[in-house]
Amino acid sequence: AGDVLVDSDGGLHIFFGAMFYGDSDTTDANTSYYPYTNGLEYWTPAYGTDSTQTIAYAYDEDDSGTLDYEDEIAGYFVGISSQPSAGQSVDDGRLVVAYSSLMEGYSTGLQNFRHIHIVQSTDGGANWNADTPCNVTPDLDFDLIESIYPSIPAHIYGDALELHYQSDFEPGLHVR
């Protein structure tokens, strides 16, 4: 899951959730997927071909030093912070990224919910507010809501951000 943004100056910005797959035996059809991979990655041509910057992630909500999740997570086949959607403010050039991440402490008892977070960069992508993202899940009544697939416009006008996303009372998808 990723997004590509061409900014107002023609610059290229690419966002994607970190993923890890393994294939220890390339002669069979089996692979290994590691669903707890964490990190929302950012790439621009200035980084070169093999470098990215982690600009956001799923957070340690209880400050325990570990991410404490249920044993099972919803099968989106992405990392625990992914599904980015990016835009740029036409007023000040600020880059904005909405993404979905697994939430510690919010679960059905079997699976944790995902919430939508937003991060931004005011300097063209050099620095991001990764440590102070905005959780835009509406309010406490909606903490136990699965929030996925955020979508924001590529061109953001004014002070308000138009955000669309899918929500559900259960983690995961019933029909893919």
Side-chain angles (χ1 to χ4, degrees):
D3 197 14
V4 175
L5 175 69
V6 178
D7 68 24
S8 59
D9 295 326
L12 184 63
H13 306 270
I14 297 177
F15 307 90
F16 58 93
M19 298 278 301
F20 184 72
Y21 284 86
D23 190 358
S24 60
D25 182 354
T26 58
T27 64
D28 65 13
N30 297 324
T31 60
S32 297
Y33 162 59
Y34 299 87
Y36 292 98
T37 306
N38 192 12
L40 188 69
E41 301 299 309
Y42 167 62
W43 181 85
T44 190
Y47 290 173
T49 56
D50 293 327
S51 297
T52 63
Q53 178 184 3
T54 302
I55 62 168
Y57 32 85
Y59 296 91
D60 180 11
E61 297 289 325
D62 64 4
D63 292 323
S64 68
T66 61
L67 294 174
D68 304 310
Y69 297 129
E70 303 295 343
D71 290 336
E72 182 181 327
I73 64 171
Y76 296 107
F77 302 101
V78 298
I80 60 174
S81 50
S82 193
Q83 305 170 347
S85 179
Q88 182 184 34
S89 169
V90 296
D91 296 333
D92 60 14
R94 183 173 26 109
L95 298 176
V96 178
V97 179
Y99 69 99
S100 182
S101 67
L102 205 59
M103 293 296 293
E104 183 180 63
Y106 302 102
S107 85
T108 63
L110 298 173
Q111 296 178 321
N112 289 76
F113 290 95
R114 290 176 185 261
H115 285 184
I116 305 297
H117 287 85
I118 295 178
V119 292
Q120 66 179 347
S121 172
T122 59
D123 58 8
N127 296 288
W128 295 82
N129 68 321
D131 293 330
T132 57
C134 180
N135 179 346
V136 294
T137 301
D139 58 41
L140 294 176
D141 292 336
F142 289 94
D143 280 346
L144 299 180
I145 294 289
E146 180 81 337
S147 302
I148 56 172
Y149 305 132
S151 177
I152 63 174
H155 306 288
I156 302 166
Y157 296 91
D159 293 333
L161 177 64
E162 185 176 325
L163 167 69
H164 297 266
Y165 62 92
Q166 179 178 317
S167 65
D168 196 349
F169 294 106
E170 289 289 330
L173 299 171
H174 179 67
V175 177
R176 188 165 302 282

